Amino acid sequence: MRVLKDIEALHSWRRDKQELGFVPTMGALHDGHLQLIKKATQSVDCVLVSIFVNPTQFDQQQDLETYPQSLKEDLALLTDAGVDAVFVPHEHHIYPQGHRFDICENELSRLFCGAHRKGHFTGVLTVVMKLFQLVRPDFAYFGEKDYQQLQLIKAMVRDFFLPVKIIACPTVRNQDGLALSSRNRRLSPEELNLAPMFYQTLIDDDDIESKISRLQALGFRVDYLQVYEDHLLAAVYLGDVRLIDNVPLNKST
């Protein structure tokens, strides 16, 4: 597996590659990421993963500073997963002139997570656009756990006529139902025991107000719990850790 640390190395490696699958990540890899990578390696001959903790999508400096990072362990997992190369740029590679230009979406990005995390999706879309321009993938793989993000990236690809096919992969969960997330590492043992009730409440046969009341009674702080098209979207805090999830409406009320 090649470790590509700058844009020149990426371009040199990419030059003779034909069909390419791409999995962008912020590291702290877990089984959810590995399922994306497995889907990619089963579909195309060559797979690139990126690890870049993107500062522009964090609305709170503390969240950025405490975001888990485990590059050595991540590289070992990627080697075992059969990845061809990993791109690990520094911030100055991705933002060589600072943050002068942004990709903004003016409708969906202002709802749900966007209403509670100012500038978050502008940061996400901007860095994904930059990575797509650098990597030039044929396929890119994203998890359905970040459902709002997934819809925004699909829309950006359509609206900017980008030659990449977005492959959506199902949310990966623990046996107790908790959606896998790098942020789960920051939960205390007590919070980890409680966290599965987030998903369980979403799929229980209650109306939305009852779900919110139940989550609050359990000790969650609810950011939002709302219907979007055919999904129920939700974000909560457990302690100082923010968790998001979604379920199809046929699994909830």
Side-chain angles (χ1 to χ4, degrees):
M1 184 182 73
R2 290 281 303 277
V3 179
L4 312 171
K5 296 184 177 180
D6 55 43
I7 292 173
E8 182 179 357
L10 172 64
H11 284 170
S12 177
W13 176 85
R14 177 70 177 91
R15 190 170 296 122
D16 63 348
K17 304 299 184 294
Q18 298 298 318
E19 193 173 66
L20 178 64
F22 178 44
V23 182
T25 82
M26 293 206 299
L29 303 181
H30 51 67
D31 283 346
H33 296 110
L34 296 180
Q35 287 301 312
L36 298 179
I37 293 164
K38 181 178 180 180
K39 178 71 172 179
T41 57
Q42 290 175 340
S43 304
V44 295
D45 291 334
C46 190
V47 174
L48 172 73
V49 173
S50 66
I51 296 177
F52 177 63
V53 181
N54 176 42
T56 66
Q57 69 189 70
F58 289 83
D59 58 323
Q60 297 180 16
Q61 184 65 25
Q62 182 182 5
D63 193 20
L64 172 60
E65 292 172 354
T66 58
Y67 193 85
Q69 299 189 49
S70 53
L71 182 59
K72 182 178 179 180
E73 293 84 354
D74 291 347
L75 293 178
L77 286 172
L78 294 176
T79 299
D80 291 343
V83 168
D84 295 276
V86 55
F87 181 42
V88 286
H90 189 275
E91 182 179 349
H92 70 259
H93 295 131
I94 303 299
Y95 299 102
Q97 299 184 62
H99 306 143
R100 293 180 58 194
F101 300 96
D102 287 324
I103 300 293
C104 299
E105 193 273 351
N106 297 311
E107 295 179 9
L108 178 57
S109 67
R110 298 184 179 185
L111 306 175
F112 313 119
C113 280
H116 295 265
R117 303 183 66 191
K118 184 178 180 181
H120 169 67
F121 285 119
T122 293
V124 170
L125 294 176
T126 300
V127 77
V128 171
M129 175 67 86
K130 285 174 174 280
L131 289 170
F132 282 174
Q133 294 299 323
L134 289 169
V135 174
R136 294 176 289 112
D138 299 284
F139 305 92
Y141 299 79
F142 292 87
E144 292 180 343
K145 179 180 75 71
D146 299 288
Y147 189 78
Q148 185 177 6
Q149 171 183 283
L150 173 64
Q151 303 312 309
L152 286 165
I153 290 170
K154 286 182 175 180
M156 181 181 73
V157 165
R158 290 193 301 268
D159 279 17
F160 284 93
F161 313 106
L162 300 180
V164 54
K165 184 175 181 180
I166 302 301
I167 308 298
C169 300
T171 301
V172 179
R173 302 182 182 277
N174 289 333
Q175 289 186 345
D176 57 18
L178 177 64
L180 299 189
S181 169
S182 299
R183 286 185 169 85
N184 292 354
R185 299 186 185 193
R186 294 174 50 203
L187 295 169
S188 70
E190 294 78 13
E191 290 167 342
L192 274 173
N193 285 333
L194 178 59
M197 294 305 300
F198 180 28
Y199 173 69
Q200 188 60 52
T201 300
L202 293 185
I203 63 174
D204 281 350
D205 293 330
D206 292 319
D207 58 38
I208 288 179
E209 291 304 318
S210 297
K211 293 177 192 291
I212 292 173
S213 296
R214 182 183 184 193
L215 287 168
Q216 291 171 334
L218 287 167
F220 294 89
R221 176 160 60 89
V222 178
D223 241 9
Y224 66 83
L225 201 160
Q226 295 175 263
V227 172
Y228 174 68
E229 295 182 344
D230 58 349
H231 276 67
L232 180 63
L233 309 185
V236 298
Y237 278 92
L238 192 53
D240 62 353
V241 179
R242 191 173 190 271
L243 305 175
I244 66 170
D245 207 339
N246 71 88
V247 295
L249 286 179
N250 61 5
K251 288 189 178 181
S252 63
T253 56

